[in-house]
Each structure stands twice: as C-alpha cells, then as structure tokens.
Amino acid sequence: MIFTPKQLDENVNVSKSHPLIELLWLLGGLILLVGLIFFLLGVTADWAASKVPVKVENWIGQQALKEFPAEENLPLNLRLQSLIDSLPEDSLLHQYKFHIFLVDSVEINALALPGGNIIVYSGLLKQVQSENELAMILAHELGHFAHRDHLRGLGRGLGVAVAAALLFGGESAASSLVSKTLLTFQARYSQDQESAADQFGLDLLTKRYGHAGGATDFFSRLTEDAGSKLPYFLTSHPHPQVRIDALNERIKEKHFRIAKTQPLEADLLAFH
Amino acid sequence: MESLLQNFDLVIVLVLAILGYTVGSLAEKRHYRSIIKREKELLKMAVVTAEGSFPPGKVGSSALVSGSVVISIDYFKRLLAILRNIFGGRVKSYESLVDRARREAILRMKESARKQGANMIINMRLETATIGRSANKRKSVGSVEAIAYGTAIVMNKG
C-alpha cells in the first residue's frame, strides 16, 4: 500500500452555521417558552387567588403578626378607616381586618401584604405634604387588596420558581436564566397591576373628599428625580410621569372636580 | 445609571458574553490558522491507526509518543450550550472546541515524533476527557482535554 499524505480542505466535524444566528434562535425560543409558562401559571394563580376567601387571608395575616409583633400606627389607621368608610357597602374590602404599620426606613415605599397588613415606610411619609396625597397612597394600597394583587404576585412568584426548578434542576444555569427572563415578564405584569391600583385609588380618593385634588401631587414630586423613562422598562412600577398622565386622563374622562388640598394634620406632622 | 446597577448581574452576563464572543472567536480563528499551517508542515509524517507489521530488520527503534492539550470554553460558548440544554439538539458551540483539541493533540504528538527522528506513527489512539466536569452548572468553567498517543517508528536506512 502506498501512503499518500493529503490535507483535507473541508472540516466535517464543525457545523457551518454562525453562532450569533444560533443565539438568536435559542433566545427567541427561550422567550417564547418562558412567556408560555408565565401565561399558564398566571392564569392558574389568578384563578386560585380570586378563590381564596378573605377569612383565610385574615388568618394568614394574624399568624404573621404573631411572628413579627409590631405596633399599629394610630394616625394612619384613622385615615385608613375613613377611606374604608367611604367604600360602597358591598365592597370585598369590608371583610378585611386591616393593620397599618409605620416602618422606619429611608425608602419611599408602601406595601400591601397578605391578610390586610399595610406597611408604610417613614421615608414616604416624610415626602407627603397633604392629607389628600396620603389618602391617595393608602387608597392605592387598598386597590391592591381589592384586586388581590398580593396573592396573585405570591402565586406567580412561587409557581415560576417551582416550575423553573422542576424543569431544569435547582442548581443549573438554565434555571437561573429562565427565572431572569421571567422577571422581565413579571415587571410588565406588575406595572399593569400598579396602574389598576392607581385607578382604584383615584376613584376612592374622589369618593372620600368629593374631589380629585392631590391625586397626582406625590407622583409629580417623584418625577423630579425619576429621570429618563427607559430604565423603567424593567422595574415593578411605571414611570411616575406615566402614572400622572394616566390619572389625569381618568380625571378628565370621569369629570372629577379638582379642589384645594388639606394640609397634613398635627398628629402626622409629628412624623416629619 | 441606577437601573444599570440594579440589574448588575444582567450587565455582567452581557459584558462577559460580548467579551467571550469577540475574544473567543479571535482566538479560535488564530488557532485554526496555526493548526492548518502546522498540519501542512507535518503532512509527510504519516499517522495511522493500524497496528502495522514490518519485515524483520526494517524497524530501527520504536517509542511511545503522545501529545495532549486542554482547551477552555468561553462565556459565549457556555451561554449557547446552556440554551441548548433547554431545547436539545446539537451543541454546535462545543464542536469546534473538541475539533481544535483533537487536531492540536495530534499535531503535538507528531512534533514530538519528529524530534525523535521518527518516520511514522502507528497505532494512534485519541482520547477526550473533560476537566471541571458539569461545565453548564452555575459558577463552573469547563475545559476539554484531548490526548493523542501512538508508537513512533524510526526506520532503518536502506
């Protein structure tokens, strides 16, 4: 046998396709897959959340209070109660036992937790200038309870984490990639919830004071240091300016009256 | 700027992927150029997987020669492979890695045989191993090792 050395021109062992094109296909597939999971889980979680009786939620809230005892804030409670009193008779919110807490933190935020617990950060209270503004914020949180967003959020978050861990294993890189993509969907969904809660808050504020004055004041103050709208794509809340525009549109649509706001009363000024 | 900081891990992934892609593909192109050039140089050194039998007196001496190489994946290849883990199919991003490792290992074996004055290598075997197993797991980097070994034969003159 004669050995003739020969250099092969073609390499059959390496695929010819461009890696960036492969990346595009795979990423597209991932977004589609995760979107589908999110949609299915979301529908299930929303359905389940709407079926949970308020009694069960109140019980959860009481268990949480036993674990983390905290003092309720009386001045805030008075404001909340007057808002609840102006709700219609058949409102779901009358079944709740609300507890409102003031937490010392520079963060400008308020939270609605399962079981009718509302947490207001002192950083937010320091920013508030009028009774109407505060009522708008509290009414917004009540809106979350009315739409049962806290339960839905809990259900979705839990479902997504469990699904990702089950499908790809808890420690795998694929699972963390999937949950990161999901967070983007979550942000979009949560922005919709915030807008819906804003609308609820506006209606309740108008019912309480007879006019919509002060509804957008708090957000206008936020806009000053909010900056560009672009980074808000990934956050849980919409850009303040977007919220103001949406509120103003509803005020116009419903012909709400705008009147002068009431300054904060002495019991709340003590926290400033 | 704030949102950049908030999504810091996402930014890191993006930067590493871009870095991995540019540096990784540059390194790969350079490596392939060098592989093809050296393969041409060493073309005369015959390598066969057959055991080979020689008439008595033909073989002057024989020795074991081996060449091995370890090649690491880059972040971009890893990202593609992780995505492949979800959907299944050919992990194309690792194909060139294994190809480079095997050809480089054979080249190194041939170079070592040439240094010993050998005319050919018979009974060549190739083996591949992973270093840093489960490369697609979080926080781990994988590499591939290829080792080629065979019997270098020095023929008697005449």
Side-chain angles (χ1 to χ4, degrees):
Chain A
M1 193 180 80
I2 299 161
F3 181 83
T4 342
K6 208 162 117 193
Q7 176 105 10
L8 294 173
D9 291 330
E10 214 180 329
N11 188 356
V12 289
N13 291 323
V14 179
S15 298
K16 290 282 177 295
S17 68
H18 199 278
L20 284 181
I21 291 172
E22 203 196 348
L23 179 74
L24 277 184
W25 271 108
L26 289 174
L27 277 184
L30 178 73
I31 289 168
L32 204 76
L33 178 80
V34 169
L36 204 72
I37 294 176
F38 186 72
F39 176 75
L40 288 178
L41 274 177
V43 169
T44 324
D46 283 358
W47 178 81
S50 64
K51 294 280 177 233
V52 174
V54 176
K55 254 190 211 161
V56 174
E57 237 198 287
N58 279 336
W59 181 82
I60 296 173
Q62 265 157 18
Q63 298 307 308
L65 278 185
K66 267 184 212 159
E67 289 292 317
F68 308 99
E71 193 87 10
E72 278 189 62
N73 189 284
L74 200 63
L76 284 176
N77 212 351
L78 286 173
R79 268 73 174 180
L80 188 70
Q81 202 50 53
S82 63
L83 277 175
I84 292 170
D85 291 342
S86 44
L87 279 168
E89 281 290 314
D90 58 343
S91 171
L92 178 83
L93 291 177
H94 285 303
Q95 298 173 36
Y96 275 99
K97 286 195 200 94
F98 286 105
H99 308 275
I100 186 159
F101 306 96
L102 187 67
V103 173
D104 212 21
S105 163
V106 286
E107 220 177 310
I108 302 171
N109 203 359
L111 304 170
L113 299 179
N117 295 320
I118 301 176
I119 288 173
V120 178
Y121 287 123
S122 57
L124 178 132
L125 204 54
K126 283 198 176 77
Q127 293 264 322
V128 170
Q129 302 288 344
S130 70
E131 290 284 332
N132 305 59
E133 259 180 81
L134 182 66
M136 177 68 196
I137 291 161
L138 295 180
H140 169 97
E141 297 307 327
L142 286 178
H144 280 314
F145 284 109
H147 302 141
R148 316 205 80 182
D149 289 334
H150 48 293
L151 280 187
R152 287 199 266 172
L154 207 69
R156 276 179 191 239
L158 213 67
V160 162
V162 169
L166 278 182
L167 284 176
F168 309 114
E171 260 301 294
S172 80
S175 137
S176 70
L177 202 68
V178 166
S179 17
K180 277 208 187 89
T181 322
L182 270 169
L183 281 182
T184 326
F185 284 95
Q186 186 86 42
R188 301 305 312 167
Y189 179 73
S190 141
Q191 290 199 2
D192 290 346
Q193 286 185 331
E194 294 300 327
S195 307
D198 276 351
Q199 310 264 292
F200 182 93
L202 177 66
D203 292 357
L204 188 55
L205 174 78
T206 317
K207 220 171 257 165
R208 163 79 173 78
Y209 284 101
H211 66 85
T216 56
D217 288 5
F218 180 68
F219 300 126
S220 332
R221 219 164 294 127
L222 285 183
T223 326
E224 282 159 26
D225 42 27
S228 141
K229 282 182 193 176
L230 194 67
Y232 276 84
F233 187 72
L234 280 175
T235 55
S236 58
H237 288 61
H239 189 276
Q241 190 57 51
V242 175
R243 300 174 79 168
I244 293 172
D245 292 345
L247 286 175
N248 280 333
E249 200 169 299
R250 192 171 175 92
I251 289 173
K252 226 161 120 191
E253 201 178 287
K254 295 241 169 179
H255 305 292
F256 286 152
R257 208 161 52 83
I258 303 276
K260 221 172 141 359
T261 56
Q262 297 173 17
L264 274 192
E265 279 168 35
D267 54 348
L268 275 175
L269 275 176
F271 295 103
H272 259 247
Chain B
M1 202 56 222
E2 204 173 309
S3 70
L4 273 187
L5 286 176
Q6 274 166 5
N7 298 300
F8 197 56
D9 50 348
L10 215 71
V11 175
I12 290 180
V13 168
L14 213 69
V15 167
L16 283 178
I18 293 170
L19 195 79
Y21 178 68
T22 47
V23 177
S25 49
L26 271 179
E28 187 162 290
K29 272 193 192 121
R30 241 181 64 191
H31 191 199
Y32 264 124
R33 270 203 302 275
S34 135
I35 286 176
I36 290 168
K37 193 177 139 241
R38 284 182 297 151
E39 274 179 351
K40 266 187 193 135
E41 280 169 19
L42 288 163
L43 201 57
K44 284 277 163 56
M45 169 80 67
V47 181
V48 291
T49 51
E51 264 177 40
S53 62
F54 300 92
K58 262 274 192 191
V59 175
S61 69
S62 65
L64 172 74
V65 279
S66 70
S68 83
V69 66
V70 179
I71 294 182
S72 167
I73 56 176
D74 60 56
Y75 202 85
F76 181 77
K77 282 192 194 306
R78 182 165 167 257
L79 186 73
L80 275 185
I82 288 170
L83 285 168
R84 265 284 165 234
N85 278 177
I86 299 174
F87 298 102
R90 285 179 292 168
V91 187
K92 290 177 192 167
S93 63
Y94 285 175
E95 283 174 354
S96 61
L97 210 69
V98 182
D99 183 59
R100 276 158 66 195
R102 288 186 173 153
R103 285 164 80 172
E104 179 71 37
I106 293 176
L107 276 172
R108 288 184 179 182
M109 179 191 68
K110 279 175 153 190
E111 274 156 15
S112 130
R114 185 172 63 179
K115 267 186 205 150
Q116 297 178 30
N119 305 88
M120 66 187 303
I121 299 167
I122 59 167
N123 217 347
M124 192 273 280
R125 296 289 180 267
L126 255 178
E127 260 156 59
T128 313
T130 55
I131 289 181
R133 216 177 295 167
S134 51
N136 291 352
K137 281 249 173 89
R138 242 182 275 184
K139 284 173 196 149
S140 62
V141 181
S143 329
V144 62
E145 189 214 17
I147 176 163
Y149 55 93
T151 313
I153 305 284
V154 183
M155 299 289 198
N156 278 331
K157 293 266 157 61

